[in-house]
Amino acid sequence: MLRQTFARSIRFNSTVAKTAPRALSNAYVNQLEARWETLPQADQSALINDLKERMKISWGELTPAEKKAAYYISYGEWGPRAPLYSPGDKSKVFWGTMIGMFAGLVIFVGLKTFAGSKSVTMNREWHEKSDEYLKSQNANPFTGYSQVQ
Amino acid sequence: MTWLDVPAPWAMRLQDAASPNQEGIHELYDHIMFYLALVLGLVSYMTIVIVKDFTKNKFAHKQLRHGQTLEIIWTMFPALILLLMSFPSFILLYLSDEVLTPALTVKIVGLQWYWKYEYSDFVNKTGETLEYESYIMPDDMLEEGNTRLLDTDTSIVLPVDTHVRFIVTANDVMHSFAVPSLGIKIDATPGRLNQVSTLMERTGVFYGQCSELCGVNHALMPMKMQCVTMEDFLTYLSELSE
Ligand SMILES: [Cu+2]
């Protein structure tokens, strides 16, 4: 209580008190996030200056609308702090990836379908014959081995 | 573990050694793997400790900005490890390079896309050096049991337990003569003779593939080497010189 009285008396006697005594109208600062980015440059800087002046008094005395506006200008999601993805983007990326993967699968299956027949060597009898020959040639004499797959 | 003279399904690691060169490579591999395991163990231990007890641990402190001792340790330790790996590596490298007293010389010429082998020490009845070409077996000429993309129509035949020198060159573009079981890989460069030697310690068949990208059929110029007893080798030579 005493502190507030004290603060008021200081403000009354200071130069700042005379430049920003009145709260900015609600119509001026309300719902700023909805229209901030479409505001012309001149209006933006005027608003910033007005709020700057207002913020020279005790911040506790700002109206909720002013506080919100000031916070939004300094830390809100606009300009460099605009979110990387808008809400629709994530599903777009997801479905793009899905379509890409599906296309890959289609190409793979298509190639498999129209590909030539397997090589004549790709069967068990052939591999067993290979084993026989290579074993007769001492291939891997220490641990033995097999071509069969 | 799969050790092979020929590539096989799911084979990993090196092929079985058939020459001192490849034995040396196996030994060096094991040697370096020891240090690799050591470093892997140390690094993962430190990482896990730092991640798990991120506030109180022996390795990381949030207020640590500079440490003379630390810097010395993390410079000297890797340097020491590298040094310990480089010595055996260089010893093996220079030993493999040595061609001392070859009893036999074979000239190997790489061409697009086949190999030509010349037994420069021998001549046939008309006085020409023994030489022949070696092509891959095409798929439609394979006999059951042949290894596809590895078998050739003719092979290099060499005697066992004999110090053999290869003189390697090429006629058109660069190729590379490589036989993993013998620990050999040497560039075949046009206008240049490279030499390498080997001593095969057991009879058998060893396969290799051209190891320098040399054109569209680079994959289709394998080499097949047959190591036989000295008697068989001499029989082979006399048949060749008919
Ligand atoms: Cu080649």
Side-chain angles (χ1 to χ4, degrees), chain B residues 110-115 173-176 210-215 217-218 221:
Chain B
L111 298 102
Q112 277 173 324
W113 287 276
Y114 59 97
W115 293 94
V173 298
M174 280 176 75
H175 300 270
S176 181
C210 178
S211 300
E212 174 70 54
L213 189 56
C214 60
N217 286 350
H218 165 61
M221 49 180 297

Side-chain angles (χ1 to χ4, degrees), chain A residues 25-44:
Chain A
S25 77
N26 264 352
Y28 188 31
V29 288
N30 225 3
Q31 299 287 317
L32 192 64
E33 52 275 17
R35 57 201 160 85
W36 174 254
E37 276 171 290
T38 54
L39 232 50
Q41 189 80 51
D43 290 3
Q44 280 184 350

Side-chain angles (χ1 to χ4, degrees), chain B residues 12-224:
Chain B
M12 284 184 275
R13 213 171 175 271
L14 309 165
Q15 294 184 11
D16 256 355
S19 77
N21 250 12
Q22 180 67 355
E23 275 162 21
I25 292 172
H26 278 211
E27 207 178 309
L28 179 70
Y29 175 91
D30 294 344
H31 190 101
I32 289 177
M33 278 311 266
F34 168 76
Y35 292 111
L36 225 80
L38 202 76
V39 170
L40 182 73
L42 180 67
V43 171
S44 19
Y45 170 67
M46 285 173 68
T47 313
I48 289 164
V49 164
I50 290 168
V51 170
K52 200 170 131 280
D53 329 312
F54 55 93
T55 47
K56 276 176 266 164
N57 66 63
K58 295 191 230 36
F59 302 117
H61 191 274
K62 61 179 178 181
Q63 252 110 41
L64 186 73
R65 288 188 196 161
H66 182 77
Q68 190 83 44
T69 325
L70 259 182
E71 300 242 9
I72 289 171
I73 290 171
W74 77 47
T75 309
M76 293 305 284
F77 180 68
L80 188 73
I81 295 277
L82 286 177
L83 206 71
L84 286 172
M85 292 196 295
S86 74
F87 274 113
S89 172
F90 275 114
I91 290 170
L92 178 65
L93 182 66
Y94 290 116
L95 275 177
S96 315
D97 241 11
E98 211 73 61
V99 181
L100 289 169
T101 47
L104 177 73
T105 299
V106 180
K107 194 175 164 195
I108 291 167
V109 187
L111 298 102
Q112 277 173 324
W113 287 276
Y114 59 97
W115 293 94
K116 204 162 88 181
Y117 305 124
E118 187 183 297
Y119 289 84
S120 318
D121 298 337
F122 309 97
V123 290
N124 63 13
K125 292 202 168 108
T126 54
E128 295 158 330
T129 41
L130 297 179
E131 63 165 47
Y132 55 91
E133 286 150 4
S134 171
Y135 292 88
I136 187 174
M137 286 283 247
D139 277 13
D140 50 358
M141 285 173 70
L142 285 175
E143 285 161 32
E144 192 167 37
N146 281 1
T147 44
R148 183 171 151 266
L149 299 181
L150 282 180
D151 262 316
T152 50
D153 56 352
T154 58
S155 45
I156 325 169
V157 179
L158 290 170
V160 70
D161 292 329
T162 308
H163 199 155
V164 181
R165 165 170 60 183
F166 298 114
I167 292 184
V168 182
T169 186
N171 231 4
D172 31 47
V173 298
M174 280 176 75
H175 300 270
S176 181
F177 180 76
V179 186
S181 299
L182 306 180
I184 287 178
K185 178 173 281 174
I186 189 162
D187 273 0
T189 311
R192 196 189 145 89
L193 298 174
N194 288 325
Q195 68 167 358
V196 70
S197 76
T198 194
L199 183 97
M200 283 181 258
E201 294 170 309
R202 57 188 167 91
T203 57
V205 57
F206 311 113
Y207 293 95
Q209 288 172 305
C210 178
S211 300
E212 174 70 54
L213 189 56
C214 60
V216 280
N217 286 350
H218 165 61
L220 307 180
M221 49 180 297
M223 53 225 76
K224 182 182 180 182

